[in-house]
Every structure is written in structure tokens, then in C-alpha cells.
Amino acid sequence: MAWVGKLFLYLVTMIGTIGLTYCMMDFKLKRYKQILIFAAASLICIVGDFFVSNLQTKNAELYYSIILSFNGLLLFVVVVIMSKDSFLKTMFAISSQVDALIMVVYISNTISRYFGNVIWIESIVRLVAFLTIYYFYNNGLRQKYRAFVASSEDKKAWIILVLIPVAFCILFCLTILYPITIINRPNYMHYVMLFEIVAMFLTYIGIFYTFNNIVEKNRIKLENEKAMQKIEWWKQQIDLQERIIENSRQSRHDLRHHDLLLMKMLQEGNYEKAMEYLKEHGAKIDNDVIVKYCENYTANCILTIYIEKAKKEGIDVQCLVNIPESIMIDEVELAGLLANLLENAVEACERITNPEIKRFINITTHYQTGSLRILVENSCNQEVEFDGGLPISTKQTKSGIGVKSIQKVASQYKGLVDFSQAAGVFTTRVLLNL
């Protein structure tokens, strides 16, 4: 029945390894597909381990090292293919998991040897070690790590971060396996291994402490950005209200003169001239009225401000917006999102100086319970450069801040942003999951 104990040990090891992967990473595929792929890879690894561990040859250690390398490569390929993160972020997660796995395997194997190499003791120690790691991961470490992954795009920083766990992984492998396994080497090598494990612990504590500080700084920065957005939003509100008041005041001031002029025309019998005057005056009043583009007050204010600005510049605007009065999105974030989308569109049109090119903006939204889709199309006569799917800003002052702000809001609501250009038309699509 020894094979039952070995099988249980392999299962603990494989499930524990996959569990470490889930603690640190997010994947593209649906959960059931992830489970099937990991189960298939695990089965291959278990069969290989089980076969090699029962070989009774002088090259058994060599074969075991080869199968370990094969298993590691197989799991590496599977994880890289399924990972949502960039390659460097995935490499950091994988190499950190390998470090944790080597540590768990070494500790459980060392303890079991003190009890006569009882495989069930090794299995239990390994299981307890994995559960302990999961506990710490899932009680704060994962949340902060994922927040750091989402907020950090510095490739140079990630290269340095990747080198740390990779270095420990190489060091562990050299200590345990090269040129022969640690079991057949002098006892002092166990103290060397213990020192390396302690050094790894201290290093990772420093890394996660740094993660925590960066995440906190990013949180404060985000709150400051939201505060600035709110200030900008209220400035826009004040400007809009002042314009409404000024229009109303001017209309009341002019109304008496219009009435006197109209009455004089009627008294003189100039009925046709009076009708023509009424039509012209009615058209002017219509232009001064605040148009209701949608039920949502915040969205309507932003649309009013930017559509009016576009029309003053001679830009044709088509607007078909459906945003309800009550929607599960912060009003400042909604205002910032729409303002950035429309500001970018207006500025792109303003850069068109050729009178033969039609300057236009089309704004379309579609709302249904749980999602809001926004489509903005505008004329654009300049070839836009893209970096990682994001347009590179040509503005000297803002340097793509608007694009990053749009992307940040979409990410916060687990949505998508897509930028594209074709046939002189720049298109921005935004999906928010509310």
C-alpha cells in the first residue's frame, strides 16, 4: 500500500502548487476550463513522478531531476498561456510560487526523515505548510499584490522584481540537487539551506512591505485625482449655471424690446414681417435653451458643455444618448469619463484645418441593466500612433492623461476600452459593468 501514500503526497503537492498559482494570479479562461487544463497537466506530472520515483537504477537521481524539470516547464507553459498578466508579472508570480514550493517540499521531506521517512508524515507536514501559506496569502497579501499588479506598469521595476525570486530558485536548486541531492551531501548543507530559506523570507517580507507602501501611495494619489475631478466638475457646474442665468437675464431684458417692436409691426399692418420676425426670434430662443440629451443630470451637463463648444467651432454633432437618471456609477467618475471622451474628440476636430474635410462627432450610448456602452466617433486627419492599444497623445501638457483616466474608470468597473482609427475616423468604445 506504499503507492497509496505516494499518490496522496503527489496529489497534495500538485493541488498545493495549483493553489499557490490561484493565490497570486488571475486567468483569462473560465473557471471550469482552468480546472480541466490544470487537472490534465497535473495528471501528466503525477504519472511521470510516480514512474521515475520507482526506478531502481544508478541513474535514478538524474531521471528524477529531468522529470522535475519537465514538470516545471509544463506548468510554466500552461500558466503563461492562461495568465491575464504581462509576461514579467507572470514570471514573478511563477518564480515566487516555485520558491514557496521548493521550501515546502524541502521542509516536509527533512522532517519526515527524522521519523524514518514515513510518507504520511511528509504528506501531512506538506499539507499543513500549504494551508499556512494559503492563509497568509488570502488574508491581505493577495489583495495588496493584485492591487500592485494592476497599478504598476514600470517594466524596469518588474525586471528587477523578477530577478529576485529567480535568483532564489536557482540557489535552492543548486543547493538541493547539484551536483548530487542534498540527502547525499554533508549535513552542514542543511544549515546552508535553512539560511537560504530565512533569507528568502526576509526578502519577501521586504518586497510585500514595498508593495503595501506603493499601493497605499497609489490609493492616496487616486483619492487626490478624484478630489480634483470633483473640483473640476463643480467648476463646470458653476459655469453652466452662470450661463443659464446670464441667458435668462438677457432674455428678460430683451423681451420688452421684442414685444414693443412686434406690437408696432402689428399696428402698422406688417403681418408678414411680424411672422418672419417671430420665426427668427423663436429659432434664437431654441438655440439658447439647454437641450435635454438624456435623463441623467450629470451626463446631460457634460454633454451640454462640450456639444455647445463643438458647435461654436463649426463641428457637426450627432447625439443619441440613453443614460438613466439613476445609475450605479459615481457621478464624478461619469463626468470625468464623458468629459475626457468629448474633449479628445473636440480637440481632434479642431486640429483639422482643411475646409474640405467634414468635422463631426457622433456620440452614442446604450444602457441596459448591468452595463453601459459608450461609442464616440470623430473625424481625424492625423495618423494616430498606438502603444499597447492606447493612442499616444500629441499634447505637450497632458501627455495622454485623458486616455489613462478613461482606461482607469473602465478598469475600476471591470470594463473594456478600445481605441481605433480607420478611414479618417477615430473611434473610442467603452464598456462599463455596473
PDB file of all heavy atoms in Angstrom, residues 268-283:
ATOM      1  N   GLU A 268     -48.985  98.632 -37.562  1.00  0.00           N
ATOM      2  CA  GLU A 268     -48.795  99.165 -38.916  1.00  0.00           C
ATOM      3  C   GLU A 268     -49.299  98.206 -39.982  1.00  0.00           C
ATOM      4  O   GLU A 268     -49.233  98.509 -41.174  1.00  0.00           O
ATOM      5  CB  GLU A 268     -47.306  99.453 -39.137  1.00  0.00           C
ATOM      6  CG  GLU A 268     -46.789 100.595 -38.274  1.00  0.00           C
ATOM      7  CD  GLU A 268     -45.290 100.787 -38.434  1.00  0.00           C
ATOM      8  OE1 GLU A 268     -44.659  99.935 -39.125  1.00  0.00           O
ATOM      9  OE2 GLU A 268     -44.748 101.755 -37.872  1.00  0.00           O
ATOM     10  N   GLY A 269     -49.778  97.024 -39.554  1.00  0.00           N
ATOM     11  CA  GLY A 269     -50.330  96.060 -40.504  1.00  0.00           C
ATOM     12  C   GLY A 269     -49.284  95.233 -41.222  1.00  0.00           C
ATOM     13  O   GLY A 269     -49.600  94.568 -42.212  1.00  0.00           O
ATOM     14  N   ASN A 270     -48.029  95.245 -40.756  1.00  0.00           N
ATOM     15  CA  ASN A 270     -46.959  94.440 -41.363  1.00  0.00           C
ATOM     16  C   ASN A 270     -47.000  93.008 -40.801  1.00  0.00           C
ATOM     17  O   ASN A 270     -46.101  92.567 -40.080  1.00  0.00           O
ATOM     18  CB  ASN A 270     -45.588  95.081 -41.101  1.00  0.00           C
ATOM     19  CG  ASN A 270     -45.435  96.409 -41.801  1.00  0.00           C
ATOM     20  OD1 ASN A 270     -45.995  96.604 -42.879  1.00  0.00           O
ATOM     21  ND2 ASN A 270     -44.687  97.318 -41.180  1.00  0.00           N
ATOM     22  N   TYR A 271     -48.083  92.272 -41.172  1.00  0.00           N
ATOM     23  CA  TYR A 271     -48.283  90.933 -40.587  1.00  0.00           C
ATOM     24  C   TYR A 271     -47.223  89.920 -41.065  1.00  0.00           C
ATOM     25  O   TYR A 271     -46.735  89.098 -40.284  1.00  0.00           O
ATOM     26  CB  TYR A 271     -49.685  90.430 -40.934  1.00  0.00           C
ATOM     27  CG  TYR A 271     -50.783  91.332 -40.410  1.00  0.00           C
ATOM     28  CD1 TYR A 271     -51.624  92.009 -41.293  1.00  0.00           C
ATOM     29  CD2 TYR A 271     -50.956  91.518 -39.046  1.00  0.00           C
ATOM     30  CE1 TYR A 271     -52.617  92.850 -40.822  1.00  0.00           C
ATOM     31  CE2 TYR A 271     -51.956  92.364 -38.564  1.00  0.00           C
ATOM     32  CZ  TYR A 271     -52.772  93.036 -39.442  1.00  0.00           C
ATOM     33  OH  TYR A 271     -53.746  93.874 -38.977  1.00  0.00           O
ATOM     34  N   GLU A 272     -46.890  90.013 -42.345  1.00  0.00           N
ATOM     35  CA  GLU A 272     -45.885  89.071 -42.858  1.00  0.00           C
ATOM     36  C   GLU A 272     -44.523  89.311 -42.213  1.00  0.00           C
ATOM     37  O   GLU A 272     -43.810  88.368 -41.854  1.00  0.00           O
ATOM     38  CB  GLU A 272     -45.767  89.217 -44.376  1.00  0.00           C
ATOM     39  CG  GLU A 272     -46.991  88.724 -45.125  1.00  0.00           C
ATOM     40  CD  GLU A 272     -46.786  88.783 -46.621  1.00  0.00           C
ATOM     41  OE1 GLU A 272     -45.649  89.127 -47.054  1.00  0.00           O
ATOM     42  OE2 GLU A 272     -47.739  88.482 -47.355  1.00  0.00           O
ATOM     43  N   LYS A 273     -44.174  90.573 -42.060  1.00  0.00           N
ATOM     44  CA  LYS A 273     -42.905  90.901 -41.414  1.00  0.00           C
ATOM     45  C   LYS A 273     -42.906  90.467 -39.952  1.00  0.00           C
ATOM     46  O   LYS A 273     -41.888  89.992 -39.425  1.00  0.00           O
ATOM     47  CB  LYS A 273     -42.661  92.414 -41.520  1.00  0.00           C
ATOM     48  CG  LYS A 273     -41.256  92.828 -41.109  1.00  0.00           C
ATOM     49  CD  LYS A 273     -41.014  94.290 -41.392  1.00  0.00           C
ATOM     50  CE  LYS A 273     -39.587  94.671 -41.034  1.00  0.00           C
ATOM     51  NZ  LYS A 273     -39.297  96.104 -41.307  1.00  0.00           N
ATOM     52  N   ALA A 274     -44.092  90.614 -39.292  1.00  0.00           N
ATOM     53  CA  ALA A 274     -44.217  90.186 -37.898  1.00  0.00           C
ATOM     54  C   ALA A 274     -44.052  88.668 -37.775  1.00  0.00           C
ATOM     55  O   ALA A 274     -43.381  88.156 -36.856  1.00  0.00           O
ATOM     56  CB  ALA A 274     -45.564  90.609 -37.334  1.00  0.00           C
ATOM     57  N   MET A 275     -44.624  87.899 -38.732  1.00  0.00           N
ATOM     58  CA  MET A 275     -44.493  86.435 -38.708  1.00  0.00           C
ATOM     59  C   MET A 275     -43.035  86.015 -38.921  1.00  0.00           C
ATOM     60  O   MET A 275     -42.528  85.118 -38.245  1.00  0.00           O
ATOM     61  CB  MET A 275     -45.372  85.829 -39.808  1.00  0.00           C
ATOM     62  CG  MET A 275     -46.862  85.893 -39.498  1.00  0.00           C
ATOM     63  SD  MET A 275     -47.319  84.869 -38.082  1.00  0.00           S
ATOM     64  CE  MET A 275     -46.995  83.254 -38.741  1.00  0.00           C
ATOM     65  N   GLU A 276     -42.377  86.685 -39.864  1.00  0.00           N
ATOM     66  CA  GLU A 276     -40.979  86.374 -40.126  1.00  0.00           C
ATOM     67  C   GLU A 276     -40.114  86.669 -38.895  1.00  0.00           C
ATOM     68  O   GLU A 276     -39.220  85.889 -38.534  1.00  0.00           O
ATOM     69  CB  GLU A 276     -40.496  87.191 -41.322  1.00  0.00           C
ATOM     70  CG  GLU A 276     -39.074  86.861 -41.737  1.00  0.00           C
ATOM     71  CD  GLU A 276     -38.628  87.675 -42.928  1.00  0.00           C
ATOM     72  OE1 GLU A 276     -39.484  88.300 -43.591  1.00  0.00           O
ATOM     73  OE2 GLU A 276     -37.403  87.698 -43.178  1.00  0.00           O
ATOM     74  N   TYR A 277     -40.429  87.779 -38.252  1.00  0.00           N
ATOM     75  CA  TYR A 277     -39.675  88.149 -37.047  1.00  0.00           C
ATOM     76  C   TYR A 277     -39.887  87.128 -35.926  1.00  0.00           C
ATOM     77  O   TYR A 277     -38.955  86.740 -35.219  1.00  0.00           O
ATOM     78  CB  TYR A 277     -40.102  89.538 -36.574  1.00  0.00           C
ATOM     79  CG  TYR A 277     -39.417  89.988 -35.298  1.00  0.00           C
ATOM     80  CD1 TYR A 277     -38.124  90.484 -35.342  1.00  0.00           C
ATOM     81  CD2 TYR A 277     -40.055  89.879 -34.069  1.00  0.00           C
ATOM     82  CE1 TYR A 277     -37.468  90.882 -34.175  1.00  0.00           C
ATOM     83  CE2 TYR A 277     -39.415  90.267 -32.897  1.00  0.00           C
ATOM     84  CZ  TYR A 277     -38.128  90.771 -32.960  1.00  0.00           C
ATOM     85  OH  TYR A 277     -37.490  91.157 -31.811  1.00  0.00           O
ATOM     86  N   LEU A 278     -41.127  86.661 -35.777  1.00  0.00           N
ATOM     87  CA  LEU A 278     -41.439  85.647 -34.740  1.00  0.00           C
ATOM     88  C   LEU A 278     -40.665  84.345 -34.988  1.00  0.00           C
ATOM     89  O   LEU A 278     -40.162  83.715 -34.050  1.00  0.00           O
ATOM     90  CB  LEU A 278     -42.938  85.367 -34.715  1.00  0.00           C
ATOM     91  CG  LEU A 278     -43.811  86.351 -33.925  1.00  0.00           C
ATOM     92  CD1 LEU A 278     -45.280  86.060 -34.139  1.00  0.00           C
ATOM     93  CD2 LEU A 278     -43.468  86.282 -32.433  1.00  0.00           C
ATOM     94  N   LYS A 279     -40.574  83.938 -36.265  1.00  0.00           N
ATOM     95  CA  LYS A 279     -39.841  82.707 -36.598  1.00  0.00           C
ATOM     96  C   LYS A 279     -38.366  82.844 -36.251  1.00  0.00           C
ATOM     97  O   LYS A 279     -37.752  81.945 -35.672  1.00  0.00           O
ATOM     98  CB  LYS A 279     -40.004  82.381 -38.074  1.00  0.00           C
ATOM     99  CG  LYS A 279     -41.392  81.883 -38.441  1.00  0.00           C
ATOM    100  CD  LYS A 279     -41.485  81.598 -39.932  1.00  0.00           C
ATOM    101  CE  LYS A 279     -42.888  81.141 -40.317  1.00  0.00           C
ATOM    102  NZ  LYS A 279     -42.984  80.889 -41.773  1.00  0.00           N
ATOM    103  N   GLU A 280     -37.760  83.971 -36.636  1.00  0.00           N
ATOM    104  CA  GLU A 280     -36.346  84.196 -36.343  1.00  0.00           C
ATOM    105  C   GLU A 280     -36.086  84.239 -34.840  1.00  0.00           C
ATOM    106  O   GLU A 280     -35.120  83.654 -34.338  1.00  0.00           O
ATOM    107  CB  GLU A 280     -35.881  85.512 -36.984  1.00  0.00           C
ATOM    108  CG  GLU A 280     -35.827  85.464 -38.491  1.00  0.00           C
ATOM    109  CD  GLU A 280     -35.409  86.805 -39.070  1.00  0.00           C
ATOM    110  OE1 GLU A 280     -35.193  87.753 -38.277  1.00  0.00           O
ATOM    111  OE2 GLU A 280     -35.311  86.912 -40.310  1.00  0.00           O
ATOM    112  N   HIS A 281     -36.979  84.947 -34.144  1.00  0.00           N
ATOM    113  CA  HIS A 281     -36.813  85.058 -32.691  1.00  0.00           C
ATOM    114  C   HIS A 281     -37.015  83.702 -32.013  1.00  0.00           C
ATOM    115  O   HIS A 281     -36.312  83.346 -31.066  1.00  0.00           O
ATOM    116  CB  HIS A 281     -37.812  86.080 -32.145  1.00  0.00           C
ATOM    117  CG  HIS A 281     -37.655  86.321 -30.672  1.00  0.00           C
ATOM    118  ND1 HIS A 281     -36.461  86.705 -30.103  1.00  0.00           N
ATOM    119  CD2 HIS A 281     -38.551  86.221 -29.645  1.00  0.00           C
ATOM    120  CE1 HIS A 281     -36.612  86.853 -28.801  1.00  0.00           C
ATOM    121  NE2 HIS A 281     -37.876  86.558 -28.496  1.00  0.00           N
ATOM    122  N   GLY A 282     -37.983  82.900 -32.519  1.00  0.00           N
ATOM    123  CA  GLY A 282     -38.219  81.566 -31.957  1.00  0.00           C
ATOM    124  C   GLY A 282     -37.030  80.659 -32.134  1.00  0.00           C
ATOM    125  O   GLY A 282     -36.654  79.900 -31.237  1.00  0.00           O
ATOM    126  N   ALA A 283     -36.364  80.753 -33.321  1.00  0.00           N
ATOM    127  CA  ALA A 283     -35.167  79.934 -33.567  1.00  0.00           C
ATOM    128  C   ALA A 283     -34.042  80.317 -32.624  1.00  0.00           C
ATOM    129  O   ALA A 283     -33.315  79.464 -32.114  1.00  0.00           O
ATOM    130  CB  ALA A 283     -34.718  80.108 -35.019  1.00  0.00           C
TER     131      ALA A 283
END
